[in-house]
Amino acid sequence: MKFELKIKKSGGVYVTPTVHRIIRHGNHARDAGKWTEAIREYRQALQLDPSLYHIWIQYGHVAHSAGFEDEADAAYMQAAKLRPNTGEPHLHMGHWATKNGKIPKALNAYAIAENYADTRPDSLIAIRHRLPPTLAMSSEEVAETLRKATIRQHYYHNTPEELRTAAAQLEKLKDLFKGRQDQKSDEIVSLIDDIAPQLTDIKPDESKPGSDYRVVFDITDLIMHFRGDHRFPTGIQRVQVEVVIAGLRTYGTGQFDLCCFVPGREKWVQIHIDNFIELAYMSGSIENISEAEWQQARKELLIHLVSSEYYEVPEKTVLVNLGTSWFIYNYFLLVRNYKERGNFYYIPFVHDLIPVITPEYCAGGVVEDYITWVVGVYQHADFFLANSESTAVDLIRTAKKLGRDLNPENVVVVPLDADFRRPLQDEISTSLLHHWNLKEDSFALFVSTIEPRKNHLLAFEGWIELIHRHGKDAVPQLVCMGRKGWLYDRIDERLESSPELKEKITFISRTSDDELALLYRSCMFTVYPSHYEGWGLPITESLCYGKIPVIADNSSLPEAGAGFSLIFESNNLDAFVGCLEKVIFDSDWRKQQEKNISTNFRPRTWAQIADQINTTSINVSKLVKASKEIPRKVELGKYYPVSLYKKPQIWPSLESGEIFRLGFDWLWPETDRCRIGPNGGTLCITDLPVGKSLRMYIQVSGLTEKSCPFSISIDGDVILRSILERHTTRWILLDIPERKTPLLKVFIKGEQTEMWRMHPCGVEQILPYALSVVGFAICDADDEDMRISFLESATAGNLEEISIYREPAA
């Protein structure tokens, strides 16, 4: 369609003449009762301008009149997205559902509409006067409607005031049934009495920590999880969902922002609260949300990541990385760029140090990437959060291995001893167990990704031993719930070698939250023989459902067990089998332990965990001075590769080469260089000797297809112009006279560019670059021996001998 100015007014908004004409035709068709024609016209108008709220509402009306209920509901929901501050679309949905006799759906729609000031009176009238057939509903239908509505409130009500309003609405609903002398009404009243207190157990608004700093939660790891088409959050991703949702319930939307690092764009993009809530709700629900709906939401997320404006980081920010970022090679570059302006704190939440402590259980490449992150995180973090005492100890020990001083007071432990049960979680009927050929109280549950570190092989050997000792029929089924991870072949080979074992193992690759809750409620006990963990979420989850976890005695597992678990010596088969026999065959003991768990295990709420994270983060800005300048010290005569460190070892003198980069136009470092975009990049060195003449050697590499003129500036003054021929790597010599400041910034800019194909986080990007920096060294200009020694190493190709990446001799 040719470009047209929006000059016609339709429904209070300006539209193009073409759209106005189409809407007018649609209205005529609607007034004449020609529903199909009206739908066709409205569809065409919305394709041309999808922002027309009032046309989405009209589209919903005519679709309902034509009998297209699903299409009508979709139109109302689109209208709700366009105007999230009104309940009008939900009210319309409730009216049509009432007209069609779909009372549970109507009640749910009216319950949502009551949350908005503009539709609250109408929705209350509708519940009281339009829905007398509600009393004809079965108690199961009412229960299902109330539970689903309240579960959505768990996600969608963003402020304490809204939650209190929701509780008041339930009380009004209870009035409809109170005093009626029938069992059905009594059951509904009892159900509401159970629901209401769970909505009022929240902090008052005045509990917000006072600070002029803005807490920003980086949830990149979770967004990348969704981006990679993984729907159901597990482990670290699930923690992020729960912490953010609980934070919203406790503090409302005004206390913090959400952001995501977008590889290829190299900056943060804001994740809007409403979008996050929708993704969180949809990712955990398999029964109410279809795969097509999920994929549509995921597509909208991807569009947002590639097309939205960059996040405007507040002037005073505490950035808390709730997930992980070791797979993002330019993450610390972005942190440095914002630290340069001041008033910017970076706090990583460290979930584990598995690649450092037990690298043998990590996939190829993970260890090298993680160690690169570890080297950088101690240089950039102002404070640390750790998920367990074990992780905190590992964090401090690893710092010592790198020769870093990490004050233990700058590490706060936030235990993940959380209540994993959803408020008002739908209790799926145990009949669903038949879908997996399971029976209640006849199986043990092992929840984890299937990979070597989780130690499924020990679990299998334990089950083989049980079968040999007690016979197959006496041994419960072992249900392994989790997707296949790396090196699954070894596990598969073990199963294929033993038909009797294979018969006793059930694999379930994925479940919704409700299905997982069913498995926990129905199992006899759980097992977790992992070699190493940062926390061990399935252990805490098992306790939440009153089930005994049989666990190994390593790392954080006993912490997660909280004194209620059955612990065996790590990787000891006999000890493991002994624990299994105890929990399987001593039913009296097992029941007593389950009673003990139910009575005495007191998990924290996610609201308490979110509050600890939020309060700690705010306090950091009061207690610790933000490091504006990241230390970038150099040892004179040493070679500093400006490249990616890709080795699985650490040692006390290991330094970062990428840390000297500053600016927003550096591409991701490679193992032999780092390319600079067309806007140029800065090498920043701190703590240079003052009052001493220096000589700097910078190794640069040119383009592949053409020569590249370039310039080098110091303190804003161009001190060198030259041309770098194609396919050329050469040294640039800079004489740096005596300086009064220990800070040196060297700006390098090329005048020609080529396109470079890269794959940050597995996403292909084709980006322009001008030239590459390979590395640099700084020598004392007056120390001839130092300069000659360096030049000999450089000309002989022995830079590895003086590189900061060289491991010292044993």
Side-chain angles (χ1 to χ4, degrees):
M1 189 182 83
K2 64 181 181 180
F3 176 77
E4 294 179 286
L5 290 174
K6 293 187 176 183
I7 58 175
K8 293 285 186 180
K9 197 168 185 180
S10 178
V13 297
Y14 286 94
V15 299
T16 66
T18 301
V19 172
H20 181 73
R21 184 173 61 254
I22 295 170
I23 292 172
R24 190 175 59 206
H25 290 164
N27 291 341
H28 289 326
R30 176 201 63 198
D31 294 341
K34 298 178 180 179
W35 309 126
T36 303
E37 183 180 339
I39 288 173
R40 184 174 64 250
E41 296 293 335
Y42 288 148
R43 279 179 184 164
Q44 186 179 357
L46 290 168
Q47 286 174 353
L48 295 174
D49 190 345
S51 67
L52 298 175
Y53 168 84
H54 68 290
I55 299 302
W56 283 110
I57 294 292
Q58 291 300 325
Y59 185 10
H61 292 347
V62 296
H64 260 304
S65 298
F68 303 142
E69 184 178 353
D70 290 343
E71 197 166 339
D73 289 349
Y76 289 140
M77 293 312 296
Q78 185 61 37
K81 287 183 179 180
L82 289 174
R83 292 189 184 176
N85 296 322
T86 177
E88 183 183 19
H90 304 287
L91 191 64
H92 286 305
M93 196 181 298
H95 291 344
W96 279 104
T98 302
K99 184 175 181 179
N100 294 331
K102 299 194 173 181
I103 303 307
K105 180 178 178 180
L107 184 60
N108 191 50
Y110 288 140
I112 295 174
E114 282 188 60
N115 299 320
Y116 300 89
D118 64 325
T119 53
R120 184 172 298 128
D122 290 335
S123 60
L124 286 173
I125 291 171
I127 288 177
R128 289 182 176 278
H129 301 294
R130 284 195 176 212
L131 295 178
T134 304
L135 293 178
M137 294 168 60
S138 69
S139 58
E140 289 78 12
E141 288 176 310
V142 175
E144 179 184 9
T145 300
L146 289 174
R147 287 183 186 280
K148 286 182 178 178
T150 311
I151 288 171
R152 291 181 71 85
Q153 288 166 350
H154 169 71
Y155 285 101
Y156 282 96
H157 287 274
N158 294 337
T159 68
E161 181 56 37
E162 287 172 326
L163 285 169
R164 285 190 284 271
T165 300
Q169 292 160 2
L170 285 176
E171 288 298 316
K172 293 184 178 75
L173 183 61
K174 186 170 72 171
D175 291 342
L176 288 172
F177 303 95
K178 206 169 183 180
R180 299 180 182 271
Q181 300 302 314
D182 61 84
Q183 183 179 354
K184 188 186 306 179
S185 296
D186 292 342
E187 290 174 355
I188 294 171
V189 170
S190 178
L191 176 64
I192 294 174
D193 286 338
D194 289 340
I195 291 173
Q198 299 187 52
L199 292 177
T200 55
D201 183 22
I202 53 178
K203 286 192 169 191
D205 291 339
E206 58 268 17
S207 65
K208 297 178 183 179
S211 174
D212 55 352
Y213 273 81
R214 182 76 169 173
V215 174
V216 179
F217 288 137
D218 182 333
I219 55 171
T220 302
D221 177 62
L222 175 64
I223 298 301
M224 292 298 104
H225 178 84
F226 292 149
R227 183 174 183 170
D229 204 12
H230 302 297
R231 177 171 175 180
F232 300 103
T234 60
I236 296 173
Q237 293 85 31
R238 187 170 180 188
V239 169
Q240 293 170 79
V241 169
E242 298 290 357
V243 166
V244 173
I245 290 295
L248 290 173
R249 293 189 67 194
T250 303
Y251 299 115
T253 57
Q255 183 64 29
F256 55 81
D257 289 344
L258 302 176
C259 73
C260 168
F261 184 99
V262 183
R265 301 189 73 191
E266 305 309 290
K267 286 189 179 180
W268 285 297
V269 166
Q270 186 169 8
I271 303 298
H272 299 294
I273 298 297
D274 289 344
N275 297 135
F276 173 83
I277 291 170
E278 181 180 21
L279 285 166
Y281 175 72
M282 297 180 80
S283 67
S285 175
I286 196 172
E287 188 172 311
N288 302 326
I289 304 298
S290 68
E291 183 62 23
E293 289 176 296
W294 165 251
Q295 289 299 337
Q296 180 60 35
R298 182 174 162 270
K299 287 177 184 176
E300 292 175 3
L301 169 67
L302 297 180
I303 292 172
H304 174 73
L305 293 179
V306 300
S307 63
S308 61
E309 297 292 329
Y310 293 126
Y311 174 55
E312 292 293 333
V313 179
E315 183 179 347
K316 293 184 176 182
T317 293
V318 180
L319 180 76
V320 182
N321 189 350
L322 283 179
T324 59
S325 62
W326 53 263
F327 51 90
I328 303 174
Y329 300 162
N330 259 1
Y331 190 88
F332 290 138
L333 173 62
L334 189 56
V335 170
R336 287 196 298 276
N337 286 332
Y338 280 107
K339 276 184 169 288
E340 278 286 305
R341 72 181 191 185
N343 294 322
F344 184 93
Y345 290 86
Y346 163 59
I347 303 176
F349 193 125
V350 183
H351 294 268
D352 62 67
L353 281 90
I354 290 168
V356 174
I357 308 300
T358 55
E360 64 272 22
Y361 297 121
C362 296
V366 171
V367 175
E368 290 88 342
D369 285 346
Y370 192 90
I371 285 179
T372 298
W373 176 83
V374 161
V375 172
V377 77
Y378 293 110
Q379 297 169 314
H380 295 82
D382 299 287
F383 206 79
F384 290 90
L385 301 175
N387 65 346
S388 67
E389 295 289 349
S390 174
T391 298
V393 169
D394 290 341
L395 191 64
I396 294 168
R397 287 176 177 171
T398 301
K400 290 182 179 178
K401 287 182 180 179
L402 282 165
R404 315 279 185 196
D405 290 325
L406 176 57
N407 187 343
E409 293 183 0
N410 286 347
V411 181
V412 166
V413 175
V414 182
L416 298 180
D417 52 346
D419 193 337
F420 283 84
R421 295 164 294 186
R422 293 273 189 221
L424 312 171
Q425 192 160 31
D426 287 332
E427 292 200 2
I428 298 176
S429 170
T430 54
S431 62
L432 184 63
L433 294 172
H434 299 313
H435 175 71
W436 299 303
N437 294 319
L438 298 174
K439 295 181 181 179
E440 193 172 5
D441 207 34
S442 67
F443 63 93
L445 184 61
F446 187 174
V447 177
S448 79
T449 305
I450 302 170
E451 60 178 78
R453 178 172 56 86
K454 302 296 185 175
N455 210 1
H456 286 77
L457 289 178
L458 179 67
F460 293 166
E461 295 306 322
W463 249 252
I464 281 285
E465 185 63 25
L466 287 174
I467 292 170
H468 291 167
R469 292 186 189 183
H470 303 282
K472 183 179 65 175
D473 293 340
V475 178
Q477 196 78 1
L478 177 61
V479 175
C480 298
M481 210 305 290
R483 59 184 174 85
K484 295 178 182 178
W486 78 297
L487 290 182
Y488 172 79
D489 292 347
R490 289 163 53 187
I491 296 170
D492 197 37
E493 289 170 3
R494 183 65 186 94
L495 288 175
E496 293 300 325
S497 69
S498 176
E500 59 182 352
L501 172 64
K502 188 175 182 180
E503 188 179 339
K504 298 299 294 185
I505 308 296
T506 297
F507 288 99
I508 302 175
S509 60
R510 68 176 196 172
T511 64
S512 68
D513 292 339
D514 294 337
E515 290 169 332
L516 181 60
L518 171 65
L519 290 172
Y520 272 116
R521 289 199 319 269
S522 305
C523 71
M524 182 185 293
F525 61 97
T526 66
V527 296
Y528 210 68
S530 176
H531 289 291
Y532 182 91
E533 294 293 329
W535 175 258
L537 296 178
I539 298 173
T540 305
E541 200 161 23
S542 175
L543 294 173
C544 288
Y545 288 94
K547 301 298 180 175
I548 303 168
V550 179
I551 66 173
D553 65 354
N554 64 69
S555 59
S556 61
L557 303 188
E559 285 182 69
F564 298 95
S565 55
L566 197 54
I567 302 177
F568 65 92
E569 182 183 355
S570 187
N571 220 32
N572 185 321
L573 178 60
D574 289 338
F576 179 50
V577 172
C579 288
L580 293 177
E581 288 178 321
K582 178 73 172 174
V583 74
I584 293 171
F585 300 112
D586 193 341
S587 59
D588 290 340
W589 177 85
R590 186 176 72 248
K591 285 180 171 44
Q592 183 60 39
Q593 288 301 109
E594 289 174 350
K595 183 178 179 181
N596 182 36
I597 293 170
S598 298
T599 303
N600 297 312
F601 177 62
R602 291 289 179 269
R604 293 197 296 172
T605 65
W606 281 108
Q608 290 173 312
I609 292 174
D611 183 62
Q612 184 185 2
I613 292 172
N614 195 64
T615 302
T616 301
S617 303
I618 288 295
N619 287 339
V620 166
S621 66
K622 301 175 182 177
L623 302 175
V624 179
K625 185 178 180 180
S627 52
K628 181 176 180 180
E629 287 186 359
I630 301 293
R632 305 174 182 91
K633 300 178 181 180
V634 296
E635 181 181 339
L636 298 184
K638 200 108 173 186
Y639 176 62
Y640 288 81
V642 183
S643 59
L644 185 66
Y645 176 76
K646 268 282 194 180
K647 293 181 181 178
Q649 296 86 25
I650 60 175
W651 55 88
S653 59
L654 178 61
E655 297 287 347
S656 167
E658 74 85 24
I659 196 173
F660 297 96
R661 302 177 306 145
L662 193 64
F664 289 98
D665 216 33
W666 290 89
L667 276 62
W668 282 32
E670 301 158 58
T671 54
D672 62 344
R673 71 188 69 194
C674 189
R675 300 170 199 264
I676 306 177
N679 296 318
T682 298
L683 291 174
C684 180
I685 299 100
T686 63
D687 297 309
L688 283 175
V690 176
K692 185 183 289 290
S693 297
L694 302 172
R695 182 163 291 178
M696 186 175 188
Y697 304 88
I698 306 176
Q699 192 177 25
V700 294
S701 183
L703 304 172
T704 58
E705 302 295 332
K706 52 191 172 185
S707 60
C708 179
F710 70 96
S711 62
I712 297 180
S713 305
I714 294 179
D715 298 332
D717 297 324
V718 176
I719 63 169
L720 181 144
R721 295 187 187 274
S722 185
I723 296 177
L724 196 58
E725 300 298 333
R726 68 187 185 95
H727 284 302
T728 299
T729 298
R730 60 181 268 206
W731 286 95
I732 306 297
L733 185 152
L734 302 177
D735 279 318
I736 302 173
E738 295 182 6
R739 297 173 62 80
K740 296 181 180 179
T741 171
L743 177 66
L744 175 67
K745 291 185 178 180
V746 180
F747 179 70
I748 307 168
K749 188 177 186 301
E751 304 300 332
Q752 292 287 341
T753 62
E754 288 179 352
M755 304 307 289
W756 176 249
R757 189 183 303 272
M758 55 187 292
H759 296 80
C761 296
V763 180
E764 183 176 84
Q765 297 281 342
I766 301 177
L767 301 172
Y769 80 100
L771 74 167
S772 305
V773 175
V774 180
F776 70 90
I778 298 178
C779 293
D780 185 339
D782 298 326
D783 191 330
E784 187 175 358
D785 291 340
M786 177 187 290
R787 290 188 286 107
I788 291 175
S789 177
F790 168 75
L791 291 172
E792 286 179 347
S793 296
T795 54
N798 292 330
L799 285 173
E800 177 67 23
E801 296 296 317
I802 57 173
S803 171
I804 60 162
Y805 286 167
R806 180 178 184 237
E807 185 175 4

